[in-house]
């Protein structure tokens, strides 16, 4: 389990690093940021789930929402509401595309979500 957890940590850090290197100046970059956000969120909730399993807290497959709730309960993340908001925005980006929604989500990624991703990364590196 530890090897899988380490591999998942590396995957998450790679996606976060790629997400940090984007600017919001044109449609192609906005689309790229949205896709990077989707990838990073997927890696984040899956690493939370794997970490909680590794700690003996979880022993069953959970969906993102219940994993986020459990991660918050066990202080792996400090703001469950932002993570739920992030999950909902991630779902919005997957099922429909609206330019205004995309720009708003990119702003949230840059202003709020990256902060939370970094907090998770820091916690996992402790």
């Amino acid at each position: 389990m530890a090897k899988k957890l380490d591999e998942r940590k590396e995957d998450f850090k790679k996606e976060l690093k790629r997400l940090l290197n984007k600017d919001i100046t044109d449609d192609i970059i906005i689309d790229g940021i949205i896709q990077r956000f989707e990838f990073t969120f997927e890696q984040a909730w899956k690493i939370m789930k794997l970490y909680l399993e590794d700690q003996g807290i979880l022993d069953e497959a959970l969906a993102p929402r219940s994993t986020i709730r459990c991660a918050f309960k066990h202080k792996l993340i400090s703001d469950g509401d932002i993570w739920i908001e992030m999950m909902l925005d991630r779902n919005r980006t997957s099922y429909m595309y609206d330019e205004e929604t995309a720009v708003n989500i990119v702003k949230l990624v840059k202003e709020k979500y990256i902060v939370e991703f970094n907090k998770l990364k820091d916690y996992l590196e402790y």
Side-chain angles (χ1 to χ4, degrees):
M1 179 70 86
K3 182 179 180 191
K4 187 174 181 179
L5 180 59
D6 289 340
E7 289 172 356
R8 185 70 72 184
K9 283 180 188 178
E10 289 305 311
D11 291 344
F12 170 65
K13 287 192 297 190
K14 285 178 192 173
E15 291 302 331
L16 179 56
K17 183 178 179 182
R18 293 175 85 177
L19 182 63
L20 290 167
N21 291 333
K22 303 295 181 219
D23 188 14
I24 54 171
T25 57
D26 67 36
D27 292 342
I28 298 292
I29 292 175
I30 289 171
D31 292 349
I33 291 170
I34 293 289
Q35 188 169 31
R36 282 287 150 225
F37 166 63
E38 291 172 354
F39 293 159
T40 306
F41 179 81
E42 287 301 307
Q43 291 296 328
W45 88 261
K46 289 176 181 176
I47 189 71
M48 284 189 261
K49 179 180 169 297
L50 198 56
Y51 178 85
L52 293 166
E53 288 172 352
D54 190 61
Q55 299 299 306
I57 297 167
L58 292 178
D59 59 356
E60 61 186 60
L62 296 175
R65 183 182 303 266
S66 51
T67 299
I68 290 167
R69 286 183 180 147
C70 188
F72 177 69
K73 177 181 176 184
H74 293 282
K75 304 200 183 328
L76 179 58
I77 56 174
S78 61
D79 192 329
D81 291 337
I82 289 178
W83 280 90
I84 295 295
E85 178 185 343
M86 199 184 311
M87 178 198 69
L88 295 172
D89 281 341
R90 187 259 179 253
N91 291 344
R92 275 191 269 286
T93 64
S94 295
Y95 298 111
M96 59 93 128
Y97 189 85
D98 167 57
E99 187 174 348
E100 184 178 343
T101 300
V103 169
N104 288 335
I105 291 172
V106 166
K107 287 177 183 175
L108 288 169
V109 167
K110 292 298 190 179
E111 295 168 5
K112 286 176 30 177
Y113 299 163
I114 284 179
V115 172
E116 296 303 312
F117 287 142
N118 276 312
K119 286 180 187 177
L120 176 61
K121 178 181 72 78
D122 293 344
Y123 182 93
L124 295 168
E125 289 180 341
Y126 170 65

